[in-house]
Amino acid sequence: MLLLGIILFGMVIGAGAQLLLGGSTRSIDWPMAFGSGLAGSFVGGLLVSLLAGDGLAFKPSGIIGSLVGAVIVTLVWQWWRKRSAA
């Protein structure tokens, strides 16, 4: 059940990152949302939670860090996709 929650949370965070970057006019790329959400949540959420002193608890600092991490991963992913397509 925890694994399912982590996957769902990662997809929601990844979709939120895409909406922040691309606005609401574009459709959501779900494979990118899944990958960037999980990677961003792991790196950003864990790092910000530990730096804020929250540990591994589910706190707002971890959610904000997850979103920031997912935005960074999405930006890198979009840059890489444009670079390889050209």
Side-chain angles (χ1 to χ4, degrees):
M1 194 58 130
L2 178 65
L3 184 60
L4 184 61
I6 290 171
I7 291 170
L8 185 63
F9 180 74
M11 288 183 77
V12 168
I13 291 294
Q18 286 183 27
L19 290 175
L20 282 174
L21 292 174
S24 61
T25 58
R26 290 184 19 200
S27 64
I28 294 174
D29 181 4
W30 288 108
M32 182 189 295
F34 178 71
S36 66
L38 286 180
S41 292
F42 181 72
V43 174
L46 182 64
L47 185 65
V48 169
S49 288
L50 292 176
L51 287 176
D54 293 334
L56 297 177
F58 192 69
K59 301 280 183 161
S61 62
I63 295 171
I64 293 168
S66 295
L67 187 58
V68 170
V71 166
I72 292 169
V73 171
T74 302
L75 282 172
V76 170
W77 193 324
Q78 289 174 347
W79 171 80
W80 184 263
R81 187 182 284 175
K82 287 179 187 177
R83 183 175 172 248
S84 64

